[in-house]
């Protein structure tokens, strides 16, 4: 996002145009800076920490300029911003049935937020007793990976309805994590 000072304001401001962001949402900040004299725009970066709630919120920017002893302020219409998870995981277990001593090919897709482009390391939770999944990573340049679940000969027979695929990634120094919706898997 960039703030653009209108020509009339910019040309008449001796000290440039100061910008500020009014309160946004807990955990969300805006790195604001003045529009330098002679310029008509500035980049403003919005950032969120891990405590920021996901969803839509509004931000209002206020530009203030000064000419002589007269100071004028002008808000811009509210911006609607959407804070989304860094990525979502979407497993496809096909038929969702695996035989004792057998294997099941599955796919896991990652839907990345445009702000996150890194690899995602996968781990499985709540697999039926005796079923295992290999350590798997979805590379940064891929959106899907195929892998095989393997059931031991003595795997517990029955359905498990809460298998979850968890993913971890890094964005700079920030560790990011997400889990899929529950998936059912039956051992026969």
């Amino acid at each position: 996002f960039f703030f653009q000072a209108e020509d009339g304001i910019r040309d008449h401001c001796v000290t440039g145009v100061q910008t500020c962001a009014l309160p946004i949402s807990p955990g969300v900040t805006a790195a604001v800076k003045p529009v330098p004299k002679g310029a008509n725009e500035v980049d403003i970066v919005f950032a969120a920490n891990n405590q920021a709630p996901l969803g839509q919120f509004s931000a209002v920017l206020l530009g203030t300029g000064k000419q002589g002893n007269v100071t004028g302020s002008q808000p811009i219409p509210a911006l609607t911003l959407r804070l989304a998870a860094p990525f979502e995981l979407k497993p496809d277990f096909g038929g969702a049935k695996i035989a004792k001593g057998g294997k099941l090919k599955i796919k896991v897709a990652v839907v990345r937020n445009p702000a996150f482009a890194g690899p995602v390391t996968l781990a499985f939770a709540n697999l039926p007793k005796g079923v295992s999944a290999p350590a798997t990573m979805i590379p940064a340049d891929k959106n899907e990976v195929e892998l095989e679940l393997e059931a031991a000969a003595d795997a517990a027979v029955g359905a498990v309805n809460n298998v979850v695929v968890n993913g971890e990634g890094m964005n700079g120094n920030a560790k990011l994590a997400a889990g899929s919706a529950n998936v059912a898997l039956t051992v026969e």
Side-chain angles (χ1 to χ4, degrees), residues 45-173:
V45 177
F46 290 90
N49 65 25
N50 60 359
Q51 302 301 314
L54 299 180
Q56 278 191 231
F57 57 92
S58 295
V60 175
L61 296 174
L62 180 66
T64 303
K66 186 173 184 180
Q67 181 180 19
N69 292 331
V70 178
T71 300
S73 295
Q74 179 65 46
I76 66 163
L79 302 169
T80 300
L81 304 170
R82 186 170 80 77
L83 183 59
F87 57 87
E88 294 178 41
L89 296 172
K90 297 188 175 189
D92 179 0
F93 278 36
K97 293 183 181 181
I98 188 169
K100 289 174 71 168
K103 295 180 180 185
L104 174 67
K105 284 189 179 187
I106 66 166
K107 292 181 182 179
V108 179
V110 61
V111 179
R112 290 180 177 87
N113 178 318
F116 174 70
V120 177
T121 302
L122 303 178
F124 288 75
N126 307 323
L127 285 170
K129 185 176 179 180
V131 176
S132 61
T136 306
M137 178 185 295
I138 302 176
D141 62 339
K142 302 287 184 200
N143 292 323
E144 183 178 84
V145 67
E146 185 174 276
L147 62 126
E148 282 188 332
L149 300 180
E150 189 170 344
D154 62 348
V157 174
V160 173
N161 296 315
N162 63 340
V163 176
V164 175
V165 181
N166 293 309
E168 290 186 353
M170 295 294 291
N171 193 9
N173 292 328

Side-chain angles (χ1 to χ4, degrees), residues 13-15 17 21 28 34 42 80 82 97 109 129 134-135 156 173-175 177:
C13 292
V14 176
T15 59
V17 176
V28 178
V42 65
T80 300
R82 186 170 80 77
K97 293 183 181 181
K129 185 176 179 180
N173 292 328
K175 185 176 182 179

